[in-house]
Amino acid sequence: MIRSFGALGFYGRPAPVASSRLTHAVAASLAIGALSLCLIATLTVFSIRVSMAMPIPA
């Protein structure tokens, strides 16, 4: 991540805002969160399909 100094916009001298380790840690945690969300959604869909296939007890 790079930030510019002053009001020069994109033409100013860039300065580092975060270290690469922090950037990689944030990217890894977002990737793990996305995979967890996909896994939860998949398990939910499969459990709904299984429960719909079961007969209703009378």
Side-chain angles (χ1 to χ4, degrees):
M1 291 188 219
I2 295 177
R3 179 180 62 186
S4 298
F5 284 115
L8 297 175
F10 294 106
Y11 300 109
R13 193 176 69 192
V17 174
S19 67
S20 63
R21 284 184 71 182
L22 178 63
T23 304
H24 289 123
V26 170
S29 64
L30 287 174
I32 291 170
L35 287 174
S36 299
L37 186 62
C38 288
L39 180 65
I40 290 169
T42 303
L43 289 175
T44 303
V45 167
F46 282 140
S47 66
I48 289 172
R49 287 188 180 188
V50 167
S51 67
M52 290 178 73
M54 290 182 183
I56 299 173

mmCIF file of all heavy atoms in Angstrom:
data_model
loop_
_atom_site.group_PDB
_atom_site.id
_atom_site.type_symbol
_atom_site.label_atom_id
_atom_site.label_comp_id
_atom_site.label_asym_id
_atom_site.label_seq_id
_atom_site.Cartn_x
_atom_site.Cartn_y
_atom_site.Cartn_z
ATOM 1 N N MET A 1 0.849 -1.176 0.000
ATOM 2 C CA MET A 1 0.000 0.000 0.000
ATOM 3 C C MET A 1 0.897 1.242 0.000
ATOM 4 O O MET A 1 1.847 1.314 0.757
ATOM 5 C CB MET A 1 -0.861 -0.002 1.251
ATOM 6 C CG MET A 1 -1.885 -1.075 1.273
ATOM 7 S SD MET A 1 -2.941 -0.810 2.678
ATOM 8 C CE MET A 1 -3.162 -2.481 3.175
ATOM 9 N N ILE A 2 0.552 2.171 -0.834
ATOM 10 C CA ILE A 2 1.374 3.376 -0.971
ATOM 11 C C ILE A 2 0.472 4.603 -0.886
ATOM 12 O O ILE A 2 -0.611 4.624 -1.447
ATOM 13 C CB ILE A 2 2.144 3.358 -2.311
ATOM 14 C CG1 ILE A 2 3.139 2.193 -2.302
ATOM 15 C CG2 ILE A 2 2.857 4.655 -2.551
ATOM 16 C CD1 ILE A 2 3.899 2.030 -3.577
ATOM 17 N N ARG A 3 0.946 5.615 -0.151
ATOM 18 C CA ARG A 3 0.180 6.847 0.012
ATOM 19 C C ARG A 3 1.019 8.013 -0.503
ATOM 20 O O ARG A 3 2.228 8.033 -0.350
ATOM 21 C CB ARG A 3 -0.161 7.055 1.492
ATOM 22 C CG ARG A 3 -0.940 8.326 1.745
ATOM 23 C CD ARG A 3 -1.261 8.482 3.211
ATOM 24 N NE ARG A 3 -0.024 8.570 3.966
ATOM 25 C CZ ARG A 3 0.024 8.597 5.300
ATOM 26 N NH1 ARG A 3 -1.065 8.516 6.000
ATOM 27 N NH2 ARG A 3 1.166 8.678 5.909
ATOM 28 N N SER A 4 0.370 9.008 -1.086
ATOM 29 C CA SER A 4 1.061 10.200 -1.587
ATOM 30 C C SER A 4 1.077 11.280 -0.519
ATOM 31 O O SER A 4 0.193 11.363 0.329
ATOM 32 C CB SER A 4 0.361 10.740 -2.829
ATOM 33 O OG SER A 4 0.390 9.783 -3.847
ATOM 34 N N PHE A 5 2.095 12.132 -0.571
ATOM 35 C CA PHE A 5 2.206 13.260 0.344
ATOM 36 C C PHE A 5 1.394 14.446 -0.150
ATOM 37 O O PHE A 5 1.276 14.671 -1.350
ATOM 38 C CB PHE A 5 3.665 13.717 0.481
ATOM 39 C CG PHE A 5 4.492 12.818 1.336
ATOM 40 C CD1 PHE A 5 5.539 12.104 0.812
ATOM 41 C CD2 PHE A 5 4.209 12.690 2.688
ATOM 42 C CE1 PHE A 5 6.309 11.296 1.593
ATOM 43 C CE2 PHE A 5 4.971 11.870 3.482
ATOM 44 C CZ PHE A 5 6.025 11.173 2.930
ATOM 45 N N GLY A 6 0.840 15.219 0.752
ATOM 46 C CA GLY A 6 0.220 16.497 0.427
ATOM 47 C C GLY A 6 -0.978 16.391 -0.489
ATOM 48 O O GLY A 6 -1.645 15.380 -0.571
ATOM 49 N N ALA A 7 -1.255 17.505 -1.180
ATOM 50 C CA ALA A 7 -2.428 17.587 -2.055
ATOM 51 C C ALA A 7 -2.042 17.393 -3.513
ATOM 52 O O ALA A 7 -2.710 17.881 -4.404
ATOM 53 C CB ALA A 7 -3.101 18.935 -1.866
ATOM 54 N N LEU A 8 -0.950 16.691 -3.759
ATOM 55 C CA LEU A 8 -0.486 16.520 -5.124
ATOM 56 C C LEU A 8 -1.179 15.369 -5.834
ATOM 57 O O LEU A 8 -0.948 15.154 -7.022
ATOM 58 C CB LEU A 8 1.028 16.297 -5.140
ATOM 59 C CG LEU A 8 1.854 17.468 -4.610
ATOM 60 C CD1 LEU A 8 3.319 17.081 -4.559
ATOM 61 C CD2 LEU A 8 1.660 18.690 -5.487
ATOM 62 N N GLY A 9 -1.974 14.610 -5.134
ATOM 63 C CA GLY A 9 -2.691 13.506 -5.762
ATOM 64 C C GLY A 9 -1.765 12.378 -6.143
ATOM 65 O O GLY A 9 -0.918 11.964 -5.357
ATOM 66 N N PHE A 10 -1.885 11.905 -7.368
ATOM 67 C CA PHE A 10 -1.091 10.773 -7.813
ATOM 68 C C PHE A 10 0.303 11.178 -8.303
ATOM 69 O O PHE A 10 1.103 10.324 -8.627
ATOM 70 C CB PHE A 10 -1.820 10.033 -8.941
ATOM 71 C CG PHE A 10 -3.085 9.390 -8.483
ATOM 72 C CD1 PHE A 10 -4.315 9.934 -8.821
ATOM 73 C CD2 PHE A 10 -3.058 8.253 -7.712
ATOM 74 C CE1 PHE A 10 -5.485 9.340 -8.403
ATOM 75 C CE2 PHE A 10 -4.222 7.648 -7.286
ATOM 76 C CZ PHE A 10 -5.430 8.201 -7.634
ATOM 77 N N TYR A 11 0.598 12.469 -8.331
ATOM 78 C CA TYR A 11 1.871 12.910 -8.881
ATOM 79 C C TYR A 11 2.926 13.133 -7.809
ATOM 80 O O TYR A 11 4.061 13.437 -8.113
ATOM 81 C CB TYR A 11 1.682 14.200 -9.680
ATOM 82 C CG TYR A 11 0.710 14.014 -10.826
ATOM 83 C CD1 TYR A 11 -0.552 14.585 -10.792
ATOM 84 C CD2 TYR A 11 1.047 13.228 -11.918
ATOM 85 C CE1 TYR A 11 -1.455 14.396 -11.827
ATOM 86 C CE2 TYR A 11 0.160 13.032 -12.959
ATOM 87 C CZ TYR A 11 -1.086 13.622 -12.903
ATOM 88 O OH TYR A 11 -1.973 13.425 -13.926
ATOM 89 N N GLY A 12 2.557 12.996 -6.539
ATOM 90 C CA GLY A 12 3.505 13.210 -5.456
ATOM 91 C C GLY A 12 4.422 12.018 -5.273
ATOM 92 O O GLY A 12 4.321 10.986 -5.928
ATOM 93 N N ARG A 13 5.373 12.167 -4.351
ATOM 94 C CA ARG A 13 6.313 11.095 -4.052
ATOM 95 C C ARG A 13 5.616 10.058 -3.173
ATOM 96 O O ARG A 13 5.084 10.408 -2.117
ATOM 97 C CB ARG A 13 7.527 11.680 -3.329
ATOM 98 C CG ARG A 13 8.680 10.728 -3.242
ATOM 99 C CD ARG A 13 9.854 11.402 -2.611
ATOM 100 N NE ARG A 13 9.527 11.642 -1.196
ATOM 101 C CZ ARG A 13 10.227 12.417 -0.398
ATOM 102 N NH1 ARG A 13 11.263 13.075 -0.866
ATOM 103 N NH2 ARG A 13 9.884 12.572 0.854
ATOM 104 N N PRO A 14 5.592 8.777 -3.546
ATOM 105 C CA PRO A 14 4.888 7.777 -2.750
ATOM 106 C C PRO A 14 5.645 7.443 -1.468
ATOM 107 O O PRO A 14 6.874 7.466 -1.433
ATOM 108 C CB PRO A 14 4.820 6.568 -3.670
ATOM 109 C CG PRO A 14 5.947 6.735 -4.618
ATOM 110 C CD PRO A 14 6.156 8.215 -4.772
ATOM 111 N N ALA A 15 4.901 7.149 -0.407
ATOM 112 C CA ALA A 15 5.475 6.743 0.864
ATOM 113 C C ALA A 15 4.784 5.456 1.307
ATOM 114 O O ALA A 15 3.565 5.337 1.190
ATOM 115 C CB ALA A 15 5.265 7.833 1.906
ATOM 116 N N PRO A 16 5.546 4.491 1.800
ATOM 117 C CA PRO A 16 4.926 3.239 2.240
ATOM 118 C C PRO A 16 4.032 3.460 3.454
ATOM 119 O O PRO A 16 4.385 4.199 4.371
ATOM 120 C CB PRO A 16 6.113 2.338 2.580
ATOM 121 C CG PRO A 16 7.253 3.258 2.796
ATOM 122 C CD PRO A 16 7.001 4.480 1.962
ATOM 123 N N VAL A 17 2.861 2.822 3.450
ATOM 124 C CA VAL A 17 1.908 2.978 4.548
ATOM 125 C C VAL A 17 1.952 1.771 5.469
ATOM 126 O O VAL A 17 1.913 1.919 6.682
ATOM 127 C CB VAL A 17 0.477 3.172 3.986
ATOM 128 C CG1 VAL A 17 -0.542 3.196 5.103
ATOM 129 C CG2 VAL A 17 0.409 4.439 3.178
ATOM 130 N N ALA A 18 2.033 0.567 4.925
ATOM 131 C CA ALA A 18 2.057 -0.648 5.729
ATOM 132 C C ALA A 18 3.195 -1.544 5.245
ATOM 133 O O ALA A 18 3.595 -1.496 4.086
ATOM 134 C CB ALA A 18 0.736 -1.383 5.612
ATOM 135 N N SER A 19 3.708 -2.363 6.164
ATOM 136 C CA SER A 19 4.769 -3.283 5.790
ATOM 137 C C SER A 19 4.206 -4.420 4.954
ATOM 138 O O SER A 19 3.008 -4.700 4.967
ATOM 139 C CB SER A 19 5.439 -3.841 7.043
ATOM 140 O OG SER A 19 4.525 -4.668 7.743
ATOM 141 N N SER A 20 5.072 -5.083 4.233
ATOM 142 C CA SER A 20 4.618 -6.188 3.393
ATOM 143 C C SER A 20 4.141 -7.356 4.247
ATOM 144 O O SER A 20 3.232 -8.092 3.851
ATOM 145 C CB SER A 20 5.734 -6.634 2.453
ATOM 146 O OG SER A 20 6.834 -7.120 3.195
ATOM 147 N N ARG A 21 4.721 -7.530 5.432
ATOM 148 C CA ARG A 21 4.263 -8.611 6.320
ATOM 149 C C ARG A 21 2.825 -8.371 6.761
ATOM 150 O O ARG A 21 2.015 -9.293 6.817
ATOM 151 C CB ARG A 21 5.161 -8.716 7.547
ATOM 152 C CG ARG A 21 6.493 -9.383 7.262
ATOM 153 C CD ARG A 21 7.292 -9.547 8.514
ATOM 154 N NE ARG A 21 6.697 -10.565 9.375
ATOM 155 C CZ ARG A 21 7.162 -10.888 10.556
ATOM 156 N NH1 ARG A 21 8.223 -10.257 11.041
ATOM 157 N NH2 ARG A 21 6.587 -11.825 11.268
ATOM 158 N N LEU A 22 2.512 -7.126 7.084
ATOM 159 C CA LEU A 22 1.147 -6.802 7.490
ATOM 160 C C LEU A 22 0.176 -6.996 6.328
ATOM 161 O O LEU A 22 -0.913 -7.555 6.500
ATOM 162 C CB LEU A 22 1.079 -5.363 8.003
ATOM 163 C CG LEU A 22 -0.306 -4.866 8.411
ATOM 164 C CD1 LEU A 22 -0.838 -5.685 9.580
ATOM 165 C CD2 LEU A 22 -0.249 -3.401 8.779
ATOM 166 N N THR A 23 0.580 -6.568 5.146
ATOM 167 C CA THR A 23 -0.267 -6.736 3.967
ATOM 168 C C THR A 23 -0.529 -8.214 3.684
ATOM 169 O O THR A 23 -1.663 -8.613 3.408
ATOM 170 C CB THR A 23 0.391 -6.083 2.742
ATOM 171 O OG1 THR A 23 0.662 -4.710 3.048
ATOM 172 C CG2 THR A 23 -0.501 -6.159 1.528
ATOM 173 N N HIS A 24 0.514 -9.041 3.783
ATOM 174 C CA HIS A 24 0.353 -10.470 3.549
ATOM 175 C C HIS A 24 -0.497 -11.119 4.640
ATOM 176 O O HIS A 24 -1.287 -12.034 4.348
ATOM 177 C CB HIS A 24 1.716 -11.153 3.456
ATOM 178 C CG HIS A 24 2.458 -10.822 2.218
ATOM 179 N ND1 HIS A 24 3.718 -10.273 2.223
ATOM 180 C CD2 HIS A 24 2.115 -10.926 0.913
ATOM 181 C CE1 HIS A 24 4.118 -10.065 0.995
ATOM 182 N NE2 HIS A 24 3.150 -10.457 0.169
ATOM 183 N N ALA A 25 -0.354 -10.672 5.873
ATOM 184 C CA ALA A 25 -1.164 -11.225 6.966
ATOM 185 C C ALA A 25 -2.638 -10.895 6.765
ATOM 186 O O ALA A 25 -3.516 -11.746 6.969
ATOM 187 C CB ALA A 25 -0.671 -10.685 8.306
ATOM 188 N N VAL A 26 -2.928 -9.674 6.349
ATOM 189 C CA VAL A 26 -4.324 -9.287 6.083
ATOM 190 C C VAL A 26 -4.879 -10.077 4.908
ATOM 191 O O VAL A 26 -6.013 -10.572 4.961
ATOM 192 C CB VAL A 26 -4.421 -7.765 5.828
ATOM 193 C CG1 VAL A 26 -5.795 -7.381 5.318
ATOM 194 C CG2 VAL A 26 -4.093 -6.997 7.092
ATOM 195 N N ALA A 27 -4.101 -10.242 3.854
ATOM 196 C CA ALA A 27 -4.552 -11.010 2.694
ATOM 197 C C ALA A 27 -4.799 -12.468 3.066
ATOM 198 O O ALA A 27 -5.785 -13.071 2.624
ATOM 199 C CB ALA A 27 -3.522 -10.916 1.567
ATOM 200 N N ALA A 28 -3.925 -13.049 3.890
ATOM 201 C CA ALA A 28 -4.104 -14.440 4.301
ATOM 202 C C ALA A 28 -5.346 -14.600 5.166
ATOM 203 O O ALA A 28 -6.105 -15.567 5.001
ATOM 204 C CB ALA A 28 -2.868 -14.924 5.055
ATOM 205 N N SER A 29 -5.577 -13.667 6.076
ATOM 206 C CA SER A 29 -6.758 -13.781 6.936
ATOM 207 C C SER A 29 -8.043 -13.600 6.124
ATOM 208 O O SER A 29 -9.045 -14.278 6.384
ATOM 209 C CB SER A 29 -6.699 -12.774 8.083
ATOM 210 O OG SER A 29 -6.731 -11.461 7.594
ATOM 211 N N LEU A 30 -8.030 -12.727 5.139
ATOM 212 C CA LEU A 30 -9.202 -12.578 4.269
ATOM 213 C C LEU A 30 -9.441 -13.836 3.442
ATOM 214 O O LEU A 30 -10.586 -14.242 3.237
ATOM 215 C CB LEU A 30 -9.025 -11.370 3.348
ATOM 216 C CG LEU A 30 -9.167 -10.000 4.011
ATOM 217 C CD1 LEU A 30 -8.810 -8.905 3.012
ATOM 218 C CD2 LEU A 30 -10.565 -9.800 4.536
ATOM 219 N N ALA A 31 -8.374 -14.458 2.970
ATOM 220 C CA ALA A 31 -8.522 -15.692 2.195
ATOM 221 C C ALA A 31 -9.078 -16.812 3.066
ATOM 222 O O ALA A 31 -9.964 -17.569 2.634
ATOM 223 C CB ALA A 31 -7.174 -16.104 1.600
ATOM 224 N N ILE A 32 -8.591 -16.934 4.296
ATOM 225 C CA ILE A 32 -9.092 -17.958 5.207
ATOM 226 C C ILE A 32 -10.557 -17.700 5.537
ATOM 227 O O ILE A 32 -11.379 -18.626 5.576
ATOM 228 C CB ILE A 32 -8.225 -18.019 6.483
ATOM 229 C CG1 ILE A 32 -6.846 -18.580 6.139
ATOM 230 C CG2 ILE A 32 -8.896 -18.856 7.564
ATOM 231 C CD1 ILE A 32 -5.851 -18.473 7.256
ATOM 232 N N GLY A 33 -10.919 -16.452 5.746
ATOM 233 C CA GLY A 33 -12.310 -16.112 6.015
ATOM 234 C C GLY A 33 -13.219 -16.436 4.839
ATOM 235 O O GLY A 33 -14.324 -16.951 5.025
ATOM 236 N N ALA A 34 -12.766 -16.165 3.627
ATOM 237 C CA ALA A 34 -13.567 -16.462 2.439
ATOM 238 C C ALA A 34 -13.748 -17.970 2.264
ATOM 239 O O ALA A 34 -14.844 -18.439 1.942
ATOM 240 C CB ALA A 34 -12.909 -15.865 1.197
ATOM 241 N N LEU A 35 -12.682 -18.733 2.492
ATOM 242 C CA LEU A 35 -12.801 -20.185 2.383
ATOM 243 C C LEU A 35 -13.727 -20.751 3.458
ATOM 244 O O LEU A 35 -14.511 -21.668 3.187
ATOM 245 C CB LEU A 35 -11.413 -20.829 2.494
ATOM 246 C CG LEU A 35 -10.513 -20.654 1.283
ATOM 247 C CD1 LEU A 35 -9.115 -21.205 1.567
ATOM 248 C CD2 LEU A 35 -11.102 -21.340 0.070
ATOM 249 N N SER A 36 -13.653 -20.207 4.660
ATOM 250 C CA SER A 36 -14.546 -20.657 5.730
ATOM 251 C C SER A 36 -15.998 -20.360 5.387
ATOM 252 O O SER A 36 -16.885 -21.194 5.622
ATOM 253 C CB SER A 36 -14.179 -19.970 7.047
ATOM 254 O OG SER A 36 -12.866 -20.283 7.419
ATOM 255 N N LEU A 37 -16.245 -19.195 4.835
ATOM 256 C CA LEU A 37 -17.609 -18.840 4.447
ATOM 257 C C LEU A 37 -18.134 -19.765 3.355
ATOM 258 O O LEU A 37 -19.290 -20.198 3.402
ATOM 259 C CB LEU A 37 -17.650 -17.386 3.987
ATOM 260 C CG LEU A 37 -19.020 -16.804 3.675
ATOM 261 C CD1 LEU A 37 -19.890 -16.816 4.928
ATOM 262 C CD2 LEU A 37 -18.872 -15.390 3.150
ATOM 263 N N CYS A 38 -17.309 -20.093 2.385
ATOM 264 C CA CYS A 38 -17.722 -21.020 1.325
ATOM 265 C C CYS A 38 -18.002 -22.405 1.894
ATOM 266 O O CYS A 38 -18.968 -23.062 1.489
ATOM 267 C CB CYS A 38 -16.636 -21.112 0.255
ATOM 268 S SG CYS A 38 -16.515 -19.633 -0.761
ATOM 269 N N LEU A 39 -17.183 -22.850 2.833
ATOM 270 C CA LEU A 39 -17.397 -24.154 3.441
ATOM 271 C C LEU A 39 -18.696 -24.190 4.233
ATOM 272 O O LEU A 39 -19.476 -25.151 4.137
ATOM 273 C CB LEU A 39 -16.214 -24.504 4.344
ATOM 274 C CG LEU A 39 -16.283 -25.850 5.058
ATOM 275 C CD1 LEU A 39 -16.254 -26.987 4.048
ATOM 276 C CD2 LEU A 39 -15.145 -25.984 6.044
ATOM 277 N N ILE A 40 -18.976 -23.150 4.989
ATOM 278 C CA ILE A 40 -20.216 -23.075 5.759
ATOM 279 C C ILE A 40 -21.426 -23.067 4.825
ATOM 280 O O ILE A 40 -22.425 -23.750 5.073
ATOM 281 C CB ILE A 40 -20.204 -21.834 6.667
ATOM 282 C CG1 ILE A 40 -19.195 -22.021 7.787
ATOM 283 C CG2 ILE A 40 -21.580 -21.545 7.237
ATOM 284 C CD1 ILE A 40 -18.922 -20.767 8.587
ATOM 285 N N ALA A 41 -21.357 -22.303 3.738
ATOM 286 C CA ALA A 41 -22.472 -22.254 2.789
ATOM 287 C C ALA A 41 -22.686 -23.618 2.133
ATOM 288 O O ALA A 41 -23.828 -24.063 1.964
ATOM 289 C CB ALA A 41 -22.206 -21.188 1.729
ATOM 290 N N THR A 42 -21.607 -24.309 1.780
ATOM 291 C CA THR A 42 -21.724 -25.633 1.167
ATOM 292 C C THR A 42 -22.348 -26.627 2.130
ATOM 293 O O THR A 42 -23.240 -27.399 1.756
ATOM 294 C CB THR A 42 -20.335 -26.131 0.725
ATOM 295 O OG1 THR A 42 -19.772 -25.177 -0.174
ATOM 296 C CG2 THR A 42 -20.422 -27.479 0.032
ATOM 297 N N LEU A 43 -21.890 -26.627 3.376
ATOM 298 C CA LEU A 43 -22.463 -27.535 4.371
ATOM 299 C C LEU A 43 -23.936 -27.228 4.622
ATOM 300 O O LEU A 43 -24.743 -28.149 4.814
ATOM 301 C CB LEU A 43 -21.668 -27.451 5.669
ATOM 302 C CG LEU A 43 -20.264 -28.059 5.631
ATOM 303 C CD1 LEU A 43 -19.540 -27.800 6.942
ATOM 304 C CD2 LEU A 43 -20.332 -29.544 5.327
ATOM 305 N N THR A 44 -24.293 -25.956 4.614
ATOM 306 C CA THR A 44 -25.691 -25.585 4.810
ATOM 307 C C THR A 44 -26.558 -26.092 3.665
ATOM 308 O O THR A 44 -27.634 -26.648 3.888
ATOM 309 C CB THR A 44 -25.810 -24.054 4.927
ATOM 310 O OG1 THR A 44 -24.993 -23.598 5.999
ATOM 311 C CG2 THR A 44 -27.239 -23.634 5.166
ATOM 312 N N VAL A 45 -26.109 -25.932 2.440
ATOM 313 C CA VAL A 45 -26.874 -26.402 1.283
ATOM 314 C C VAL A 45 -27.047 -27.916 1.334
ATOM 315 O O VAL A 45 -28.146 -28.437 1.109
ATOM 316 C CB VAL A 45 -26.190 -25.963 -0.033
ATOM 317 C CG1 VAL A 45 -26.776 -26.695 -1.228
ATOM 318 C CG2 VAL A 45 -26.312 -24.464 -0.206
ATOM 319 N N PHE A 46 -25.956 -28.637 1.651
ATOM 320 C CA PHE A 46 -26.063 -30.097 1.717
ATOM 321 C C PHE A 46 -26.978 -30.551 2.847
ATOM 322 O O PHE A 46 -27.747 -31.500 2.684
ATOM 323 C CB PHE A 46 -24.686 -30.739 1.866
ATOM 324 C CG PHE A 46 -23.910 -30.791 0.586
ATOM 325 C CD1 PHE A 46 -22.549 -30.543 0.577
ATOM 326 C CD2 PHE A 46 -24.525 -31.086 -0.617
ATOM 327 C CE1 PHE A 46 -21.831 -30.585 -0.598
ATOM 328 C CE2 PHE A 46 -23.817 -31.136 -1.806
ATOM 329 C CZ PHE A 46 -22.455 -30.887 -1.791
ATOM 330 N N SER A 47 -26.926 -29.891 3.982
ATOM 331 C CA SER A 47 -27.787 -30.295 5.091
ATOM 332 C C SER A 47 -29.256 -30.009 4.773
ATOM 333 O O SER A 47 -30.144 -30.770 5.157
ATOM 334 C CB SER A 47 -27.377 -29.594 6.381
ATOM 335 O OG SER A 47 -27.610 -28.211 6.289
ATOM 336 N N ILE A 48 -29.534 -28.925 4.053
ATOM 337 C CA ILE A 48 -30.915 -28.641 3.656
ATOM 338 C C ILE A 48 -31.407 -29.700 2.674
ATOM 339 O O ILE A 48 -32.534 -30.185 2.780
ATOM 340 C CB ILE A 48 -31.022 -27.224 3.057
ATOM 341 C CG1 ILE A 48 -30.852 -26.174 4.157
ATOM 342 C CG2 ILE A 48 -32.340 -27.034 2.333
ATOM 343 C CD1 ILE A 48 -30.744 -24.755 3.640
ATOM 344 N N ARG A 49 -30.560 -30.081 1.719
ATOM 345 C CA ARG A 49 -30.968 -31.106 0.752
ATOM 346 C C ARG A 49 -31.217 -32.447 1.432
ATOM 347 O O ARG A 49 -32.155 -33.162 1.094
ATOM 348 C CB ARG A 49 -29.905 -31.255 -0.325
ATOM 349 C CG ARG A 49 -29.892 -30.102 -1.282
ATOM 350 C CD ARG A 49 -28.963 -30.368 -2.426
ATOM 351 N NE ARG A 49 -28.976 -29.229 -3.336
ATOM 352 C CZ ARG A 49 -28.377 -29.230 -4.501
ATOM 353 N NH1 ARG A 49 -27.715 -30.287 -4.901
ATOM 354 N NH2 ARG A 49 -28.435 -28.161 -5.264
ATOM 355 N N VAL A 50 -30.369 -32.809 2.402
ATOM 356 C CA VAL A 50 -30.554 -34.074 3.110
ATOM 357 C C VAL A 50 -31.824 -34.033 3.935
ATOM 358 O O VAL A 50 -32.589 -35.002 3.973
ATOM 359 C CB VAL A 50 -29.318 -34.374 3.990
ATOM 360 C CG1 VAL A 50 -29.604 -35.501 4.961
ATOM 361 C CG2 VAL A 50 -28.125 -34.721 3.116
ATOM 362 N N SER A 51 -32.074 -32.924 4.598
ATOM 363 C CA SER A 51 -33.285 -32.837 5.425
ATOM 364 C C SER A 51 -34.558 -32.822 4.577
ATOM 365 O O SER A 51 -35.591 -33.316 5.009
ATOM 366 C CB SER A 51 -33.237 -31.602 6.320
ATOM 367 O OG SER A 51 -33.314 -30.429 5.534
ATOM 368 N N MET A 52 -34.488 -32.306 3.375
ATOM 369 C CA MET A 52 -35.658 -32.319 2.494
ATOM 370 C C MET A 52 -35.897 -33.713 1.926
ATOM 371 O O MET A 52 -37.041 -34.059 1.597
ATOM 372 C CB MET A 52 -35.486 -31.314 1.349
ATOM 373 C CG MET A 52 -35.563 -29.877 1.797
ATOM 374 S SD MET A 52 -35.288 -28.740 0.446
ATOM 375 C CE MET A 52 -36.803 -28.904 -0.443
ATOM 376 N N ALA A 53 -34.871 -34.535 1.824
ATOM 377 C CA ALA A 53 -35.023 -35.873 1.287
ATOM 378 C C ALA A 53 -35.573 -36.846 2.319
ATOM 379 O O ALA A 53 -36.081 -37.906 1.968
ATOM 380 C CB ALA A 53 -33.662 -36.377 0.776
ATOM 381 N N MET A 54 -35.463 -36.497 3.608
ATOM 382 C CA MET A 54 -35.957 -37.382 4.658
ATOM 383 C C MET A 54 -37.486 -37.311 4.730
ATOM 384 O O MET A 54 -38.066 -36.239 4.579
ATOM 385 C CB MET A 54 -35.383 -36.983 6.008
ATOM 386 C CG MET A 54 -33.925 -37.250 6.169
ATOM 387 S SD MET A 54 -33.393 -36.803 7.800
ATOM 388 C CE MET A 54 -31.665 -37.127 7.701
ATOM 389 N N PRO A 55 -38.122 -38.455 4.992
ATOM 390 C CA PRO A 55 -39.585 -38.431 5.138
ATOM 391 C C PRO A 55 -39.985 -37.757 6.447
ATOM 392 O O PRO A 55 -39.255 -37.795 7.435
ATOM 393 C CB PRO A 55 -39.955 -39.913 5.146
ATOM 394 C CG PRO A 55 -38.719 -40.600 5.592
ATOM 395 C CD PRO A 55 -37.567 -39.774 5.090
ATOM 396 N N ILE A 56 -41.160 -37.145 6.420
ATOM 397 C CA ILE A 56 -41.667 -36.460 7.611
ATOM 398 C C ILE A 56 -42.300 -37.511 8.529
ATOM 399 O O ILE A 56 -43.182 -38.272 8.094
ATOM 400 C CB ILE A 56 -42.697 -35.390 7.222
ATOM 401 C CG1 ILE A 56 -42.046 -34.343 6.331
ATOM 402 C CG2 ILE A 56 -43.307 -34.751 8.467
ATOM 403 C CD1 ILE A 56 -43.012 -33.333 5.747
ATOM 404 N N PRO A 57 -41.859 -37.583 9.809
ATOM 405 C CA PRO A 57 -42.472 -38.569 10.713
ATOM 406 C C PRO A 57 -43.919 -38.207 11.034
ATOM 407 O O PRO A 57 -44.247 -37.056 11.266
ATOM 408 C CB PRO A 57 -41.587 -38.512 11.951
ATOM 409 C CG PRO A 57 -40.917 -37.193 11.885
ATOM 410 C CD PRO A 57 -40.817 -36.816 10.444
ATOM 411 N N ALA A 58 -44.771 -39.211 11.040
ATOM 412 C CA ALA A 58 -46.188 -38.956 11.276
ATOM 413 C C ALA A 58 -46.596 -39.228 12.695
ATOM 414 O O ALA A 58 -46.134 -39.966 13.424
ATOM 415 C CB ALA A 58 -47.028 -39.799 10.329
#
